[in-house]
Amino acid sequence: MSTAATDAAVASQRGALERLALAHGPLERRTALLALLVSPFNEPQQHAWERACVGVALAERIGVDVALLAPATRLPVFEALLDRSRPAPLAEKRDLLEHARRVLAAAGGVRPLDRLRWLVMRHRLGEAPLSAPAAGSELPASTVPALSVFAAFLARIVPLAQADGGIGAEGWAWHERMLAPWATQDANEARRRGVPHAEDLLPALRMLQAQSWMLRPVLLRALVDALEPPGVEGLDAQACDALRLVATLLDAPLPPTLAERYVETGWTHDAVS
């Protein structure tokens, strides 16, 4: 891309961010959040978004602005809009989640990355944890199978997504390296069991979320450290998004190498209107 074209793209994104920052109303926020859930070139999801936005005056403009966002900016915008929606009335948040479910399922199946986005929406909108965090800095042996299931789910995306939704050789190797500090017989049987079922994901995540505030960043760091050189720098946008979404789900800070892959919005989290 030429310097002029790059400068034009940067200017276009800057304008889009400035306009999206003004999306304070519930319909505008919902429109933008749903647009951010639509996968590129996915016509069923696009049609579902259009149906959800009927009657929203600025829907077309918002859709264009979302399309102008670079991959490194989309997830920070998504998170910022969710944070702005967190204080909203419960009915409004339920409406947002119901429309999000319809958009994500419009293509007849939910991709692993979309499932993480859905979980992050619920988490960031204020879904209460099921139990108080545990104490201690050591992962209990009883939690290792849950870590194995969760890491196996992520291995469908990290370090490289598979076209068939399965886990490739690179994914299993990453999974094995990540689990090495806590290796047990149960965890080592993950490959034999294969790709975890979708219904196993949430219970596994809940067990990890119940770990102490000291341990959850350690688990996230282990996911990143298990990557082969050049580490995060060698990942595509999907894999980076998956790891960032996991950071949100575990309430853990982003490792610097992962944070460097993103352009934060700089928005303040204003109260909803």
Side-chain angles (χ1 to χ4, degrees):
M1 184 180 291
S2 68
T3 301
T6 300
D7 291 345
V10 170
S12 295
Q13 175 170 269
R14 186 183 301 114
L17 281 170
E18 290 173 353
R19 289 186 292 273
L20 289 170
L22 300 177
H24 292 295
L27 292 180
E28 288 75 19
R29 284 197 315 275
R30 188 187 75 184
T31 297
L33 282 164
L34 296 181
L36 287 160
L37 293 177
V38 176
S39 301
F41 311 111
N42 190 314
E43 291 188 7
Q45 288 187 341
Q46 178 67 25
H47 293 330
W49 174 78
E50 291 169 358
R51 289 193 295 272
C53 300
V54 170
V56 179
L58 297 177
E60 185 176 355
R61 177 70 262 177
I62 290 172
V64 171
D65 285 337
V66 166
L68 290 172
L69 299 179
T73 310
R74 291 175 65 92
L75 195 48
V77 169
F78 182 69
E79 293 171 350
L81 289 170
L82 287 174
D83 288 341
R84 286 183 169 184
S85 298
R86 186 183 178 101
L90 182 58
E92 180 184 319
K93 291 190 284 191
R94 285 177 173 170
D95 178 71
L96 170 60
L97 289 170
E98 177 58 25
H99 279 89
R101 183 189 64 79
R102 292 174 185 170
V103 169
L104 291 174
V110 179
R111 300 182 308 157
L113 190 60
D114 288 339
R115 197 170 296 278
L116 288 175
R117 288 193 183 102
W118 169 252
L119 291 171
V120 162
M121 288 188 77
R122 292 169 56 181
H123 181 78
R124 214 146 183 145
L125 288 174
E127 184 177 65
L130 297 183
S131 59
S137 58
E138 297 294 329
L139 185 69
S142 59
T143 305
V144 174
L147 178 60
S148 177
V149 168
F150 191 70
F153 174 84
L154 290 176
R156 300 169 68 185
I157 318 167
V158 181
L160 184 66
Q162 301 296 303
D164 62 359
I167 303 174
E170 299 91 342
W172 281 123
W174 172 75
H175 179 272
E176 183 176 350
R177 290 192 301 271
M178 188 268 165
L179 282 173
W182 304 283
T184 67
Q185 182 178 358
D186 286 337
N188 291 332
E189 291 179 352
R191 188 162 188 167
R192 178 182 58 79
R193 292 194 296 268
V195 178
H197 296 294
E199 58 267 23
D200 296 328
L201 175 63
L202 187 56
L205 173 61
R206 291 301 189 213
M207 289 194 71
L208 300 182
Q209 289 175 321
Q211 302 310 304
S212 72
W213 65 269
M214 294 182 291
L215 182 56
R216 282 179 273 120
V218 173
L219 299 179
L220 177 63
R221 184 76 251 179
L223 293 172
V224 173
D225 289 347
L227 297 168
E228 289 190 318
V232 171
E233 291 82 358
L235 296 180
D236 64 12
Q238 286 192 68
C240 284
D241 280 0
L243 293 174
R244 179 170 175 136
L245 291 166
V246 170
T248 290
L249 291 170
L250 295 181
D251 290 320
L254 282 179
T257 54
L258 185 57
E260 290 171 359
R261 292 290 301 266
Y262 291 92
V263 179
E264 302 300 330
T265 64
W267 298 352
T268 57
H269 298 151
D270 305 280
V272 298
S273 58

